Amino acid sequence: MPDAGRFSDVGEQGSRAVMEAAAALEQELSAGIADAKAATARLTGEHRVDQEEFDRLVGRVSENTHQLIDAVSERVLASTTGEVSEQAQRLAANAHDVLDLLLGLSSLAPGLANQGLRNAFGPQGDPRAAGGADGDGGAGPDERPRG
């Protein structure tokens, strides 16, 4: 079991690094709010989730969060050595992997949401109902839930 005393400074350094990185990324994150509001307006007004709009939001979150992980990691690694540094590197790598996994899974959300919205509200807002392109986010032509 590692000595907890060796890691006490890491928490404080990590907090400072998080605050500094968050301040640096605040402007970029603020820009994403406009995109999120547009997606919300489409959801409430048209009862659908636009796959491309959703993908842009996920891309922005991915980029910003990876930058935050890197900034915090660099800050912590700059002031650590040895075993603490190795653990910080592993933690950063794992954080990147978990983020990628979660955001990858989120790509299923628009198709699932649109299927549920069509079931609840009917086909209005669905480009396929007007003879448009496939707008279900990859859910396929069958709108009925399987099970």
mmCIF file of all heavy atoms in Angstrom, residues 92-121:
data_model
loop_
_atom_site.group_PDB
_atom_site.id
_atom_site.type_symbol
_atom_site.label_atom_id
_atom_site.label_comp_id
_atom_site.label_asym_id
_atom_site.label_seq_id
_atom_site.Cartn_x
_atom_site.Cartn_y
_atom_site.Cartn_z
ATOM 1 N N ALA A 92 -3.959 9.568 -16.456
ATOM 2 C CA ALA A 92 -4.285 10.402 -17.617
ATOM 3 C C ALA A 92 -4.646 9.537 -18.820
ATOM 4 O O ALA A 92 -5.628 9.813 -19.524
ATOM 5 C CB ALA A 92 -3.119 11.325 -17.952
ATOM 6 N N ALA A 93 -3.884 8.486 -19.070
ATOM 7 C CA ALA A 93 -4.176 7.597 -20.194
ATOM 8 C C ALA A 93 -5.541 6.936 -20.013
ATOM 9 O O ALA A 93 -6.333 6.845 -20.971
ATOM 10 C CB ALA A 93 -3.084 6.543 -20.338
ATOM 11 N N ASN A 94 -5.831 6.496 -18.801
ATOM 12 C CA ASN A 94 -7.133 5.879 -18.522
ATOM 13 C C ASN A 94 -8.265 6.890 -18.681
ATOM 14 O O ASN A 94 -9.340 6.541 -19.188
ATOM 15 C CB ASN A 94 -7.158 5.277 -17.116
ATOM 16 C CG ASN A 94 -6.294 4.041 -17.004
ATOM 17 O OD1 ASN A 94 -5.936 3.415 -17.993
ATOM 18 N ND2 ASN A 94 -5.923 3.697 -15.779
ATOM 19 N N ALA A 95 -8.040 8.130 -18.258
ATOM 20 C CA ALA A 95 -9.065 9.161 -18.405
ATOM 21 C C ALA A 95 -9.378 9.394 -19.881
ATOM 22 O O ALA A 95 -10.548 9.524 -20.264
ATOM 23 C CB ALA A 95 -8.615 10.457 -17.739
ATOM 24 N N HIS A 96 -8.343 9.439 -20.724
ATOM 25 C CA HIS A 96 -8.563 9.589 -22.167
ATOM 26 C C HIS A 96 -9.362 8.401 -22.713
ATOM 27 O O HIS A 96 -10.300 8.588 -23.503
ATOM 28 C CB HIS A 96 -7.228 9.698 -22.911
ATOM 29 C CG HIS A 96 -6.576 11.024 -22.820
ATOM 30 N ND1 HIS A 96 -7.091 12.166 -23.393
ATOM 31 C CD2 HIS A 96 -5.416 11.409 -22.221
ATOM 32 C CE1 HIS A 96 -6.292 13.188 -23.163
ATOM 33 N NE2 HIS A 96 -5.271 12.757 -22.451
ATOM 34 N N ASP A 97 -9.008 7.199 -22.306
ATOM 35 C CA ASP A 97 -9.697 6.001 -22.793
ATOM 36 C C ASP A 97 -11.164 5.979 -22.365
ATOM 37 O O ASP A 97 -12.046 5.657 -23.164
ATOM 38 C CB ASP A 97 -9.002 4.734 -22.284
ATOM 39 C CG ASP A 97 -7.644 4.511 -22.935
ATOM 40 O OD1 ASP A 97 -7.343 5.159 -23.958
ATOM 41 O OD2 ASP A 97 -6.869 3.688 -22.384
ATOM 42 N N VAL A 98 -11.430 6.315 -21.104
ATOM 43 C CA VAL A 98 -12.812 6.327 -20.607
ATOM 44 C C VAL A 98 -13.625 7.381 -21.344
ATOM 45 O O VAL A 98 -14.769 7.134 -21.745
ATOM 46 C CB VAL A 98 -12.843 6.559 -19.077
ATOM 47 C CG1 VAL A 98 -14.246 6.870 -18.594
ATOM 48 C CG2 VAL A 98 -12.288 5.337 -18.349
ATOM 49 N N LEU A 99 -13.037 8.557 -21.536
ATOM 50 C CA LEU A 99 -13.734 9.610 -22.273
ATOM 51 C C LEU A 99 -14.093 9.139 -23.681
ATOM 52 O O LEU A 99 -15.230 9.298 -24.137
ATOM 53 C CB LEU A 99 -12.871 10.874 -22.336
ATOM 54 C CG LEU A 99 -13.436 12.014 -23.167
ATOM 55 C CD1 LEU A 99 -14.744 12.532 -22.568
ATOM 56 C CD2 LEU A 99 -12.411 13.135 -23.274
ATOM 57 N N ASP A 100 -13.134 8.551 -24.384
ATOM 58 C CA ASP A 100 -13.393 8.060 -25.742
ATOM 59 C C ASP A 100 -14.490 6.995 -25.753
ATOM 60 O O ASP A 100 -15.347 6.992 -26.646
ATOM 61 C CB ASP A 100 -12.111 7.501 -26.371
ATOM 62 C CG ASP A 100 -11.108 8.590 -26.702
ATOM 63 O OD1 ASP A 100 -11.503 9.766 -26.850
ATOM 64 O OD2 ASP A 100 -9.906 8.253 -26.822
ATOM 65 N N LEU A 101 -14.467 6.107 -24.784
ATOM 66 C CA LEU A 101 -15.490 5.063 -24.699
ATOM 67 C C LEU A 101 -16.873 5.670 -24.492
ATOM 68 O O LEU A 101 -17.820 5.342 -25.212
ATOM 69 C CB LEU A 101 -15.167 4.094 -23.561
ATOM 70 C CG LEU A 101 -16.229 3.034 -23.266
ATOM 71 C CD1 LEU A 101 -16.379 2.083 -24.441
ATOM 72 C CD2 LEU A 101 -15.893 2.287 -21.998
ATOM 73 N N LEU A 102 -16.992 6.577 -23.536
ATOM 74 C CA LEU A 102 -18.296 7.180 -23.247
ATOM 75 C C LEU A 102 -18.820 7.996 -24.420
ATOM 76 O O LEU A 102 -19.998 7.920 -24.767
ATOM 77 C CB LEU A 102 -18.211 8.043 -21.990
ATOM 78 C CG LEU A 102 -17.982 7.281 -20.694
ATOM 79 C CD1 LEU A 102 -17.776 8.251 -19.534
ATOM 80 C CD2 LEU A 102 -19.147 6.343 -20.414
ATOM 81 N N LEU A 103 -17.947 8.776 -25.031
ATOM 82 C CA LEU A 103 -18.389 9.579 -26.166
ATOM 83 C C LEU A 103 -18.705 8.696 -27.370
ATOM 84 O O LEU A 103 -19.614 9.005 -28.149
ATOM 85 C CB LEU A 103 -17.354 10.644 -26.507
ATOM 86 C CG LEU A 103 -17.185 11.726 -25.431
ATOM 87 C CD1 LEU A 103 -16.097 12.715 -25.821
ATOM 88 C CD2 LEU A 103 -18.495 12.446 -25.155
ATOM 89 N N GLY A 104 -17.981 7.598 -27.523
ATOM 90 C CA GLY A 104 -18.305 6.645 -28.589
ATOM 91 C C GLY A 104 -19.688 6.047 -28.390
ATOM 92 O O GLY A 104 -20.476 5.927 -29.333
ATOM 93 N N LEU A 105 -20.003 5.679 -27.161
ATOM 94 C CA LEU A 105 -21.330 5.138 -26.867
ATOM 95 C C LEU A 105 -22.418 6.181 -27.088
ATOM 96 O O LEU A 105 -23.533 5.849 -27.489
ATOM 97 C CB LEU A 105 -21.386 4.624 -25.423
ATOM 98 C CG LEU A 105 -20.621 3.343 -25.144
ATOM 99 C CD1 LEU A 105 -20.610 3.043 -23.651
ATOM 100 C CD2 LEU A 105 -21.207 2.181 -25.923
ATOM 101 N N SER A 106 -22.083 7.446 -26.850
ATOM 102 C CA SER A 106 -23.083 8.500 -27.016
ATOM 103 C C SER A 106 -23.522 8.653 -28.460
ATOM 104 O O SER A 106 -24.581 9.203 -28.726
ATOM 105 C CB SER A 106 -22.556 9.837 -26.475
ATOM 106 O OG SER A 106 -21.647 10.427 -27.388
ATOM 107 N N SER A 107 -22.732 8.142 -29.405
ATOM 108 C CA SER A 107 -23.114 8.255 -30.814
ATOM 109 C C SER A 107 -24.402 7.496 -31.108
ATOM 110 O O SER A 107 -25.052 7.731 -32.133
ATOM 111 C CB SER A 107 -21.980 7.765 -31.714
ATOM 112 O OG SER A 107 -21.813 6.370 -31.579
ATOM 113 N N LEU A 108 -24.790 6.584 -30.233
ATOM 114 C CA LEU A 108 -26.043 5.854 -30.396
ATOM 115 C C LEU A 108 -27.259 6.699 -30.011
ATOM 116 O O LEU A 108 -28.377 6.404 -30.426
ATOM 117 C CB LEU A 108 -26.036 4.590 -29.531
ATOM 118 C CG LEU A 108 -24.948 3.566 -29.818
ATOM 119 C CD1 LEU A 108 -24.975 2.471 -28.754
ATOM 120 C CD2 LEU A 108 -25.122 2.984 -31.200
ATOM 121 N N ALA A 109 -27.046 7.741 -29.242
ATOM 122 C CA ALA A 109 -28.149 8.517 -28.672
ATOM 123 C C ALA A 109 -29.088 9.126 -29.700
ATOM 124 O O ALA A 109 -30.312 9.018 -29.544
ATOM 125 C CB ALA A 109 -27.602 9.591 -27.730
ATOM 126 N N PRO A 110 -28.607 9.795 -30.753
ATOM 127 C CA PRO A 110 -29.564 10.406 -31.686
ATOM 128 C C PRO A 110 -30.511 9.400 -32.338
ATOM 129 O O PRO A 110 -31.710 9.656 -32.431
ATOM 130 C CB PRO A 110 -28.666 11.076 -32.732
ATOM 131 C CG PRO A 110 -27.411 11.386 -31.988
ATOM 132 C CD PRO A 110 -27.227 10.208 -31.072
ATOM 133 N N GLY A 111 -29.998 8.266 -32.777
ATOM 134 C CA GLY A 111 -30.860 7.261 -33.393
ATOM 135 C C GLY A 111 -31.901 6.731 -32.430
ATOM 136 O O GLY A 111 -33.084 6.600 -32.771
ATOM 137 N N LEU A 112 -31.460 6.433 -31.218
ATOM 138 C CA LEU A 112 -32.398 5.930 -30.209
ATOM 139 C C LEU A 112 -33.420 6.997 -29.827
ATOM 140 O O LEU A 112 -34.607 6.711 -29.689
ATOM 141 C CB LEU A 112 -31.631 5.461 -28.977
ATOM 142 C CG LEU A 112 -30.722 4.249 -29.186
ATOM 143 C CD1 LEU A 112 -29.850 4.015 -27.957
ATOM 144 C CD2 LEU A 112 -31.542 3.017 -29.517
ATOM 145 N N ALA A 113 -32.948 8.232 -29.656
ATOM 146 C CA ALA A 113 -33.858 9.325 -29.302
ATOM 147 C C ALA A 113 -34.873 9.556 -30.410
ATOM 148 O O ALA A 113 -36.078 9.711 -30.143
ATOM 149 C CB ALA A 113 -33.060 10.595 -29.031
ATOM 150 N N ASN A 114 -34.417 9.584 -31.652
ATOM 151 C CA ASN A 114 -35.336 9.829 -32.768
ATOM 152 C C ASN A 114 -36.366 8.719 -32.897
ATOM 153 O O ASN A 114 -37.533 8.976 -33.188
ATOM 154 C CB ASN A 114 -34.559 10.018 -34.067
ATOM 155 C CG ASN A 114 -33.878 11.367 -34.115
ATOM 156 O OD1 ASN A 114 -34.309 12.319 -33.476
ATOM 157 N ND2 ASN A 114 -32.795 11.454 -34.868
ATOM 158 N N GLN A 115 -35.953 7.491 -32.664
ATOM 159 C CA GLN A 115 -36.907 6.382 -32.716
ATOM 160 C C GLN A 115 -37.973 6.568 -31.642
ATOM 161 O O GLN A 115 -39.170 6.430 -31.906
ATOM 162 C CB GLN A 115 -36.188 5.055 -32.530
ATOM 163 C CG GLN A 115 -37.107 3.854 -32.630
ATOM 164 C CD GLN A 115 -36.355 2.538 -32.505
ATOM 165 O OE1 GLN A 115 -35.153 2.524 -32.237
ATOM 166 N NE2 GLN A 115 -37.038 1.449 -32.700
ATOM 167 N N GLY A 116 -37.557 6.889 -30.429
ATOM 168 C CA GLY A 116 -38.518 7.120 -29.345
ATOM 169 C C GLY A 116 -39.405 8.328 -29.603
ATOM 170 O O GLY A 116 -40.607 8.291 -29.316
ATOM 171 N N LEU A 117 -38.823 9.384 -30.152
ATOM 172 C CA LEU A 117 -39.606 10.580 -30.452
ATOM 173 C C LEU A 117 -40.632 10.310 -31.545
ATOM 174 O O LEU A 117 -41.768 10.797 -31.478
ATOM 175 C CB LEU A 117 -38.677 11.730 -30.847
ATOM 176 C CG LEU A 117 -37.844 12.297 -29.694
ATOM 177 C CD1 LEU A 117 -36.702 13.162 -30.228
ATOM 178 C CD2 LEU A 117 -38.727 13.088 -28.739
ATOM 179 N N ARG A 118 -40.250 9.531 -32.564
ATOM 180 C CA ARG A 118 -41.220 9.171 -33.614
ATOM 181 C C ARG A 118 -42.354 8.347 -33.021
ATOM 182 O O ARG A 118 -43.522 8.529 -33.385
ATOM 183 C CB ARG A 118 -40.541 8.403 -34.742
ATOM 184 C CG ARG A 118 -39.790 9.283 -35.716
ATOM 185 C CD ARG A 118 -39.361 8.511 -36.960
ATOM 186 N NE ARG A 118 -38.533 7.353 -36.672
ATOM 187 C CZ ARG A 118 -37.203 7.387 -36.552
ATOM 188 N NH1 ARG A 118 -36.557 8.513 -36.673
ATOM 189 N NH2 ARG A 118 -36.542 6.278 -36.305
ATOM 190 N N ASN A 119 -42.020 7.444 -32.115
ATOM 191 C CA ASN A 119 -43.056 6.624 -31.480
ATOM 192 C C ASN A 119 -43.988 7.487 -30.637
ATOM 193 O O ASN A 119 -45.186 7.245 -30.585
ATOM 194 C CB ASN A 119 -42.436 5.533 -30.619
ATOM 195 C CG ASN A 119 -41.760 4.452 -31.432
ATOM 196 O OD1 ASN A 119 -42.028 4.279 -32.614
ATOM 197 N ND2 ASN A 119 -40.848 3.732 -30.808
ATOM 198 N N ALA A 120 -43.441 8.504 -29.975
ATOM 199 C CA ALA A 120 -44.237 9.347 -29.093
ATOM 200 C C ALA A 120 -45.006 10.435 -29.837
ATOM 201 O O ALA A 120 -46.141 10.742 -29.482
ATOM 202 C CB ALA A 120 -43.329 9.986 -28.036
ATOM 203 N N PHE A 121 -44.372 11.034 -30.856
ATOM 204 C CA PHE A 121 -44.955 12.216 -31.491
ATOM 205 C C PHE A 121 -45.341 12.009 -32.952
ATOM 206 O O PHE A 121 -45.867 12.914 -33.575
ATOM 207 C CB PHE A 121 -43.975 13.396 -31.420
ATOM 208 C CG PHE A 121 -43.695 13.838 -30.020
ATOM 209 C CD1 PHE A 121 -42.507 13.491 -29.391
ATOM 210 C CD2 PHE A 121 -44.617 14.596 -29.317
ATOM 211 C CE1 PHE A 121 -42.246 13.897 -28.096
ATOM 212 C CE2 PHE A 121 -44.366 15.007 -28.026
ATOM 213 C CZ PHE A 121 -43.177 14.657 -27.409
#
